[in-house]
Amino acid sequence: MLSDDHVNEIVIEKLIASLIPMTSRDRIKAIRNQPRTMEEKRNLSRGSLTIMTEEEGRAEVCLTWQKIVDKEKSKQSHHILQLNCCVQCLHSISQAYRRSKSSLSEILNSISLWQKTLKIIGGKFGTSVLSYFNFLRWLLKFNIFSFVLNFSFIIIPQFTVAEKNTLQFTGLEFFTGVGYFRDTVMYYGFYTNSTIQHGNSGASYNMQLAYIFTIGACLTTCFFSLLFSMARYFRNNFINPHIYSGGITKLIFCWDFTVTHEKAVKLKQKNLSTEIRENLSELCQEKAKLTFNQQLTRFSAYVVAWVVSTGVAIACCAAVYYLAEYNLEFLKTHKNPGAVLLLPFIVSCINLAVPRIYSMFRLVERYEMPRHEVYVLLIRNIFLKISIIGILCYYWLNTVALSGEECWETLIGQEIYRLLLMDFVFSLADSFLGEFLRRIIGMRLIRSLGVQEFDIARNVLELIYAQTLVWIGIFFCPLLPFIQMIMLFIMFYAKNVSLMMNFQPPSKAWRASQMMTFFIFLLFFPSFTGVLCTLAITIWRLKPSADCGPFRGLPFFIHSIYSWIDTLSTRPGYLWVVWIYRNLIGSVHFFFILTLIVLIITYLYWQITEGRKIMIRLLHEQIVNEGKDKMFLIEKLIKLQDMEKKANSSSLVLERREVEQQGSLHLGEHDGSPDLRLRRSVQEGNPRA
């Protein structure tokens, strides 16, 4: 039982709890209406106020903490929002970059030249023949860029101050390059050496600086483009590991389901089948095991072929040298306009005939890999053609330049134009006439020859030879890139028609993914490096003509740069240009360090290649070993299963025998029981028995 005081306390607590939620007025009325003494009413009022004050304090503390927490949360949410905004901005920028890059690549692919034709060539003749046409298109892009650069900064300014040409045009100039073309923007001698300025307040244009800087920018761009292209193709074809997998995943999973047109589907199927044949041909090729006598015979054939090819090249270079020495005197004594075509004609005959002789060596050498055969032919042809160009450059820089002619730069430009044109004419004649006759002979007269295959090495070296002449002649004939553009454009269609009519696909399918790298390397060295050496000697060592060209009156071509640097050194705002020239461009140490860096990068690339090859070989061995382990485990599992089957069968036989024995015993017992009963009954009836 609870006491009265305890009950009273409980009632008061409940009353105070009921008073707390009320307003102050309602609380006072409720307390007044209570039937209690004044002292009790005061205690009720104080108790309710005390509890309310405590709860208000707690509420204020909770509110304060809630404000602090909300503030911290707002700070964190603001910081997270800022981070999310930055991440979203970076993500949107990267997405926009990827989309713009993909759209730009799609636009470039859509406007790319001969896209469908190249697919047809690749599907019918494989990647080896396709590499020639890709290389031709790549050179065409080079010449387009060079022409745009020369036309914008050299030819257009010269047109504004050019005088009217008074020479008569006869049409023979297209073949000789002389006459009417001499006084046009085609050659070096026509350009002015004065500063072009229209009006007294117009901007001035220094033709000397424009000429040498434009040519320098063109060659510098070509230099870095060649380096970049070599690095890109080298990385894609030698360093990336996917090239060692045989391209199987690409062949299995590369079908484009957006291709719905019937002709496009057939072309895609033909490309895939050709690529499969090329991959399988390399996977199935086994190195033939030769005896010692066969190896000795083959090595002797290689040595003889190299000795004969080198001797032929040396004889051709000697013939070109003596002909070039005699050519200048020959031209002075013979005034016939066609006499200038003698040297280009002989050189073009050599370039046409000797590579065909080199191609016949394959009958003796018999390389196992078609790629090795192409590499050998490329090396022999590049040695021949670059040696001829080197002899011609020596003739131009040491004989023509020092002969005292009125404008020797224009004479060199005309010589290069004739060489380029004659080489183009011979190539066209060979495509439409020589290759056609070869097909007729192989199909109708001597059927054992058969239809010929496309000679990649010879055709590629024709392109490299022509491009080398263009790079040398761009200083003496700024319009040569435009002429080369037209020739390459015509050559593509001529070679394409001849390929479809006169050639058969390669008898040995082989992948040419690494050929483009080798082509660009040959174009860079020795072709482009030789051009740089020739032009460096011209600019730094030879004296310009006194009566023609933008550098007339100077002791050397490079003095135009020296005088410009001296002018800038007097202007404080251009001292940084002077510093760059004297410490970087004009410094031998800078180029030494740059060359060292390039060699180090090349060495690193090579080491990366070797390391990845070793890693891929180890991974292949690991895969093979894992396959062997799996086969071993499978064999063990099969043996265990066989043993279990044998054990189960033997146990079943034993169980059957036991069951049969037990059954026979039960039957014996069952059969013997009546006899036993009979005997007992007899014994009971007859005790004696």
Side-chain angles (χ1 to χ4, degrees):
M1 294 289 295
L2 296 174
S3 62
D4 294 337
D5 295 334
H6 191 64
V7 171
N8 193 18
E9 288 178 0
I10 293 172
V11 171
I12 290 172
E13 288 179 358
K14 288 182 178 180
L15 184 60
I16 291 172
S18 64
L19 292 174
I20 289 171
M22 296 181 184
T23 60
S24 59
R25 182 178 294 180
D26 293 337
R27 195 183 306 115
I28 293 170
K29 286 182 179 180
I31 292 171
R32 285 178 181 174
N33 293 330
Q34 288 291 325
R36 294 178 180 278
T37 61
M38 187 61 65
E39 186 67 25
E40 290 178 348
K41 289 181 180 180
R42 288 195 188 99
N43 291 332
L44 285 173
S45 178
R46 289 171 188 162
S48 62
L49 289 174
T50 303
I51 294 172
M52 286 179 61
T53 305
E54 290 178 356
E55 288 185 355
E56 285 178 359
R58 290 172 189 163
E60 287 180 359
V61 171
C62 292
L63 185 62
T64 305
W65 279 106
Q66 187 67 32
K67 286 181 180 179
I68 293 170
V69 171
D70 291 340
K71 190 174 181 181
E72 292 294 329
K73 286 183 179 180
S74 64
K75 286 182 180 179
Q76 291 179 0
S77 62
H78 183 67
H79 183 64
I80 293 170
L81 186 62
Q82 287 181 346
L83 290 176
N84 290 332
C85 289
C86 295
V87 171
Q88 288 177 359
C89 289
L90 291 174
H91 184 65
S92 61
I93 290 170
S94 64
Q95 279 187 342
Y97 172 73
R98 284 196 296 268
R99 288 173 184 171
S100 61
K101 186 178 179 180
S102 61
S103 61
L104 182 62
S105 63
E106 289 177 359
I107 292 171
L108 291 176
N109 288 329
S110 62
I111 64 175
S112 181
L113 287 172
W114 310 311
Q115 196 73 18
K116 184 179 178 182
T117 307
L118 292 175
K119 288 182 179 179
I120 294 172
I121 293 171
K124 187 174 182 181
F125 293 91
T127 56
S128 57
V129 179
L130 180 64
S131 61
Y132 165 78
F133 290 91
N134 283 329
F135 187 60
L136 190 150
R137 186 176 65 170
W138 190 76
L139 288 178
L140 180 63
K141 296 177 183 178
F142 254 126
N143 288 281
I144 290 173
F145 171 78
S146 301
F147 167 69
V148 169
L149 205 63
N150 288 351
F151 187 77
S152 302
F153 296 99
I154 297 178
I155 297 172
I156 291 178
Q158 181 61 33
F159 271 132
T160 60
V161 294
E163 298 179 359
K164 187 177 180 180
N165 194 344
T166 57
L167 297 176
Q168 186 179 0
F169 182 75
T170 60
L172 191 63
E173 290 85 355
F174 283 115
F175 300 98
T176 62
V178 298
Y180 181 83
F181 286 160
R182 188 187 64 187
D183 291 340
T184 60
V185 292
M186 186 171 177
Y187 294 117
Y188 163 91
F190 181 72
Y191 290 87
T192 182
N193 66 332
S194 60
T195 300
I196 300 173
Q197 186 174 6
H198 296 281
N200 295 327
S201 59
S204 59
Y205 193 82
N206 193 327
M207 199 62 191
Q208 289 182 351
L209 297 177
Y211 197 94
I212 197 167
F213 280 150
T214 303
I215 302 298
C218 179
L219 294 176
T220 303
T221 306
C222 291
F223 175 79
F224 285 107
S225 298
L226 285 170
L227 282 181
F228 175 76
S229 300
M230 275 197 301
R232 181 164 59 90
Y233 282 107
F234 185 77
R235 183 185 67 246
N236 294 337
N237 298 324
F238 288 93
I239 294 180
N240 286 345
H242 65 81
I243 65 165
Y244 303 104
S245 63
I248 303 300
T249 54
K250 177 187 174 185
L251 294 176
I252 295 174
F253 304 108
C254 70
W255 183 259
D256 188 2
F257 289 95
T258 60
V259 179
T260 56
H261 197 268
E262 185 178 358
K263 290 184 178 179
V265 169
K266 289 182 178 179
L267 182 60
K268 186 77 173 177
Q269 289 175 348
K270 190 178 289 186
N271 280 321
L272 284 176
S273 63
T274 306
E275 195 167 352
I276 289 171
R277 283 195 301 111
E278 291 174 352
N279 281 277
L280 291 178
S281 67
E282 289 196 354
L283 291 174
C284 297
Q285 268 180 345
E286 295 182 359
K287 193 173 182 180
K289 295 181 179 179
L290 303 176
T291 62
F292 177 76
N293 292 330
Q294 290 175 340
Q295 291 180 0
L296 185 62
T297 303
R298 181 166 292 186
F299 180 74
S300 302
Y302 293 161
V303 172
V304 170
W306 275 103
V307 170
V308 172
S309 62
T310 307
V312 170
I314 292 172
C316 293
C317 293
V320 171
Y321 174 77
Y322 287 110
L323 181 63
E325 290 291 334
Y326 173 72
N327 184 60
L328 199 59
E329 298 178 1
F330 176 78
L331 294 178
K332 289 179 180 178
T333 56
H334 294 77
K335 300 299 181 182
N336 188 1
V340 295
L341 297 175
L342 177 63
L343 180 62
F345 179 79
I346 299 297
V347 171
S348 298
C349 286
I350 292 172
N351 287 329
L352 180 66
V354 175
R356 291 187 177 276
I357 297 173
Y358 289 165
S359 299
M360 294 173 64
F361 289 165
R362 73 179 69 180
L363 302 174
V364 179
E365 294 175 316
R366 295 180 182 178
Y367 286 98
E368 296 175 2
M369 294 285 291
R371 185 186 293 110
H372 297 165
E373 181 181 323
V374 174
Y375 287 161
V376 169
L377 287 174
L378 282 171
I379 293 170
R380 289 171 181 167
N381 286 320
I382 198 72
F383 177 73
L384 172 70
K385 292 179 181 290
I386 296 300
S387 299
I388 291 174
I389 292 177
I391 290 171
L392 291 174
C393 290
Y394 177 81
Y395 160 70
W396 292 329
L397 300 183
N398 289 275
T399 304
V400 178
L402 304 177
S403 62
E405 294 289 335
E406 182 181 355
C407 192
W408 61 268
E409 296 92 347
T410 299
L411 291 178
I412 294 176
Q414 292 171 354
E415 287 280 351
I416 295 174
Y417 170 78
R418 288 191 289 268
L419 283 168
L420 190 64
L421 182 66
M422 191 63 68
D423 182 74
F424 174 70
V425 171
F426 270 66
S427 298
L428 282 182
D430 181 57
S431 298
F432 287 114
L433 186 61
E435 294 170 354
F436 174 74
L437 291 176
R438 170 65 178 79
R439 181 175 70 89
I440 296 298
I441 292 171
M443 292 180 65
R444 297 185 180 181
L445 299 178
I446 308 175
R447 295 183 180 273
S448 60
L449 293 176
V451 183
Q452 60 184 337
E453 297 179 7
F454 190 78
D455 194 342
I456 302 170
R458 180 172 58 84
N459 288 279
V460 166
L461 262 297
E462 288 178 359
L463 296 178
I464 293 177
Y465 171 78
Q467 189 61 40
T468 307
L469 289 177
V470 171
W471 279 333
I472 294 173
I474 195 172
F475 186 80
F476 309 103
C477 182
L479 273 180
L480 271 186
F482 176 71
I483 298 169
Q484 178 71 349
M485 279 171 48
I486 299 173
M487 291 180 178
L488 289 175
F489 199 81
I490 297 172
M491 187 61 67
F492 182 89
Y493 288 102
K495 289 292 182 183
N496 183 28
V497 172
S498 178
L499 180 70
M500 297 298 174
M501 292 178 58
N502 304 320
F503 293 93
Q504 65 173 349
S507 57
K508 294 181 180 179
W510 55 284
R511 284 192 306 122
S513 58
Q514 299 171 356
M515 291 296 293
M516 196 68 179
T517 310
F518 194 66
F519 295 161
I520 297 174
F521 175 75
L522 290 179
L523 188 66
F524 180 77
F525 181 84
S527 176
F528 188 75
T529 52
V531 170
L532 292 180
C533 294
T534 303
L535 293 180
I537 293 171
T538 303
I539 293 172
W540 267 272
R541 297 301 181 197
L542 296 181
K543 183 179 180 180
S545 298
D547 299 325
C548 68
F551 301 98
R552 67 189 75 173
L554 295 177
F556 299 104
F557 293 95
I558 195 64
H559 273 264
S560 60
I561 303 292
Y562 294 161
S563 60
W564 178 63
I565 292 296
D566 292 338
T567 304
L568 291 181
S569 61
T570 60
R571 301 177 182 178
Y574 296 95
L575 291 178
W576 60 275
V577 180
V578 179
W579 185 89
I580 290 174
Y581 176 79
R582 290 176 178 173
N583 293 279
L584 297 180
I585 299 175
S587 174
V588 179
H589 300 90
F590 171 74
F591 287 101
F592 175 76
I593 294 171
L594 186 64
T595 307
L596 190 63
I597 291 171
V598 171
L599 292 176
I600 290 172
I601 293 173
T602 306
Y603 176 75
L604 290 175
Y605 265 108
W606 183 261
Q607 291 299 317
I608 290 170
T609 306
E610 295 300 320
R612 290 187 177 179
K613 285 181 180 179
I614 294 170
M615 182 61 67
I616 290 167
R617 180 173 55 80
L618 293 175
L619 290 174
H620 281 189
E621 292 177 357
Q622 184 177 353
I623 292 171
V624 172
N625 292 330
E626 288 181 357
K628 291 179 179 179
D629 293 341
K630 288 180 180 178
M631 292 299 298
F632 177 75
L633 293 174
I634 290 171
E635 290 176 358
K636 285 289 185 183
L637 183 62
I638 292 171
K639 289 181 180 179
L640 289 173
Q641 289 177 351
D642 293 338
M643 292 174 65
E644 287 181 358
K645 287 181 180 178
K646 291 179 180 179
N648 291 331
S649 61
S650 61
S651 62
L652 286 172
V653 171
L654 292 174
E655 287 179 358
R656 284 179 184 176
R657 289 178 180 175
E658 290 178 358
V659 169
E660 289 175 354
Q661 290 176 359
Q662 291 176 0
S664 61
L665 290 173
H666 287 299
L667 286 173
E669 291 177 357
H670 186 267
D671 294 336
S673 60
D675 296 338
L676 183 62
R677 290 173 185 170
L678 180 61
R679 289 174 183 174
R680 287 179 180 175
S681 64
V682 170
Q683 288 177 359
E684 289 176 357
N686 189 4
R688 293 180 181 179

